């Protein structure tokens, strides 16, 4: 494989102190300013996030991503108010102080700058950015790659220690704009624009990338590769044999539904299914 960007240490190894990692997602309840927020107290929102974090950690996951998934429908980055990053920073800090786990931040949709600000204030180790290079048509409309602005903002903050996990061929949208370029080329663009890890996804939340797509992305970059949706106890072994990690939420919730609480027994069952592949 030809070199695309300067060789760098594995972000998975550096952050999680292991070769492969399972990362649970804390889907925060609706924040002020979003349609589903009905005036509930901040303590309630924070307590729910802490409960889910504890359930993941007691089940054996290696790290967490804090995400404002309750803010559906998601806004474009320029329309997200400072209240979102403020509350996410408090939640992230509380989780970090209580559990001391590796943490990531994802501010939806594609809000890399608020994610970096949150990560810095809350003590997180990385951010997830769905569209890092190029552009696509998402549920929110036209979404451009965030790399250029985000890396300059990270430099301004002197926050180079915060890594970037970026999706290739991101879910919930159409890639007709770049349909003349292969998934391999789109992945190479993510690498060239200095991401630290690449994430493969299916078509939507809860839908897994195919093994063929995972292999296609894997062939295009030497960066750590994770699968970021649709991972279950039935497929996690196969996926982890091909990748350096998985990002998982829905299958670990009560009833397998993303907006429900994390169910500790489901987490333990999932980690048992993943154990052999994690050590391979």
């Amino acid at each position: 494989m030809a070199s695309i960007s300067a060789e760098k240490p594995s972000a998975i190894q550096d952050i999680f102190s292991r070769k492969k990692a399972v990362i649970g997602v804390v889907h925060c309840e609706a924040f002020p300013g979003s349609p589903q927020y009905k005036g509930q107290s901040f303590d309630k929102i924070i307590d729910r996030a802490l409960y889910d974090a504890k359930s993941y950690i007691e089940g054996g996951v290696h790290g967490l991503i804090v995400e404002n998934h309750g803010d559906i429908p998601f806004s474009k980055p320029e329309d997200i108010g400072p209240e979102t990053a403020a509350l996410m920073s408090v939640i992230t800090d509380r989780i970090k102080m209580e559990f001391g786990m590796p943490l990531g931040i994802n501010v939806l949709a594609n809000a890399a700058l608020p994610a970096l600000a949150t990560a810095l204030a809350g003590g997180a180790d990385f951010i997830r950015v769905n569209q890092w290079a190029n552009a696509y048509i998402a549920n929110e409309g036209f979404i451009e790659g965030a790399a250029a602005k985000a890396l300059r903002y990270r430099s301004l903050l002197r926050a180079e220690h915060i890594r970037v996990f970026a999706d290739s061929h991101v879910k919930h949208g159409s890639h007709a704009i770049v349909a003349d370029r292969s998934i391999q080329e789109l992945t190479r663009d993510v690498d060239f624009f200095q991401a630290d890890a690449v994430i493969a996804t299916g078509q939507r939340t809860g839908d897994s990338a195919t093994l063929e797509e995972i292999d296609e992305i894997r062939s295009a970059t030497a960066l750590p590769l994770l699968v970021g949706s649709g991972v279950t106890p039935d497929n996690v072994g196969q996926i982890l044999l091909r990748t350096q990690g998985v990002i998982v939420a829905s299958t670990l919730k009560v009833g397998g539904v993303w907006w429900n609480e994390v169910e500790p027994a489901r987490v333990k069952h999932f980690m048992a299914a993943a154990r052999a592949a994690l050590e391979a």
Side-chain angles (χ1 to χ4, degrees):
M1 182 189 307
S3 177
I4 305 167
S5 58
E7 188 174 342
K8 61 184 76 173
S10 167
I12 297 296
Q13 184 68 48
D14 283 358
I15 293 171
F16 301 95
S17 300
R18 54 184 301 119
K19 292 189 296 183
K20 299 183 181 185
V22 174
I23 306 169
V25 183
V26 176
H27 287 145
C28 294
E29 294 184 331
F31 289 168
S34 66
Q36 296 303 313
Y37 179 71
K38 306 302 181 184
Q40 53 268 55
S41 71
F42 291 173
D43 284 344
K44 179 180 180 297
I45 295 171
I46 293 168
D47 285 347
R48 167 63 188 275
L50 289 170
Y51 174 86
D52 281 353
K54 181 180 180 182
S55 297
Y56 278 127
I57 291 165
E58 289 182 346
V61 304
H62 307 116
L64 302 170
I65 292 176
V66 181
E67 186 175 275
N68 61 321
H69 210 308
D71 288 350
I72 294 173
F74 306 124
S75 295
K76 289 186 176 183
E78 61 270 21
D79 296 326
I80 296 173
E83 68 279 355
T84 298
L87 186 49
M88 285 190 75
S89 297
V90 172
I91 292 171
T92 303
D93 178 69
R94 288 284 299 276
I95 293 173
K96 188 77 172 182
M97 293 292 289
E98 188 152 342
F99 303 111
M101 293 287 286
L103 293 177
I105 302 296
N106 189 15
V107 180
L108 299 164
N110 217 59
L113 272 62
L116 282 166
T118 299
L120 184 62
D125 306 281
F126 66 97
I127 63 171
R128 179 179 181 179
V129 183
N130 300 109
Q131 191 68 24
W132 185 245
N134 298 299
Y136 82 129
I137 303 299
N139 298 150
E140 298 79 28
F142 182 63
I143 301 292
E144 295 185 77
K149 288 182 179 179
L151 289 179
R152 284 165 174 79
Y153 184 61
R154 186 177 70 172
S155 180
L156 178 69
L157 296 179
R158 298 294 186 266
E160 287 84 356
H161 61 283
I162 298 173
R163 308 295 185 88
V164 174
F165 289 22
D167 293 32
S168 176
H169 209 241
V170 62
K171 62 186 176 181
H172 287 288
S174 167
H175 297 270
I177 297 170
V178 289
D180 59 336
R181 308 186 74 240
S182 67
I183 292 175
Q184 286 182 319
E185 284 301 320
L186 296 176
T187 302
R188 290 168 68 86
D189 291 340
V190 170
D191 190 333
F192 184 62
F193 273 17
Q194 300 177 37
D196 298 290
V198 179
I199 301 170
T201 67
Q203 291 297 313
R204 60 180 55 252
T205 297
D207 180 36
S208 177
T210 65
L211 296 180
E212 291 76 16
E213 183 168 336
I214 294 168
D215 290 342
E216 190 172 3
I217 293 173
R218 172 73 290 161
S219 70
T221 179
L223 291 175
L225 173 62
L226 303 93
V227 171
S229 66
V231 186
T232 69
D234 293 331
N235 64 18
V236 65
Q238 284 185 303
I239 288 172
L240 281 172
L241 289 175
R242 288 169 160 81
T243 67
Q244 285 67 57
V246 295
I247 300 169
V248 60
S250 297
T251 196
L252 306 184
K253 303 293 191 74
V254 174
V257 179
W258 74 261
W259 57 79
N260 286 339
E261 294 179 340
V262 175
E263 186 174 333
R266 283 178 172 257
V267 183
K268 292 176 182 177
H269 175 62
F270 182 91
M271 293 305 297
R275 187 172 295 119
L278 282 167
E279 304 306 326

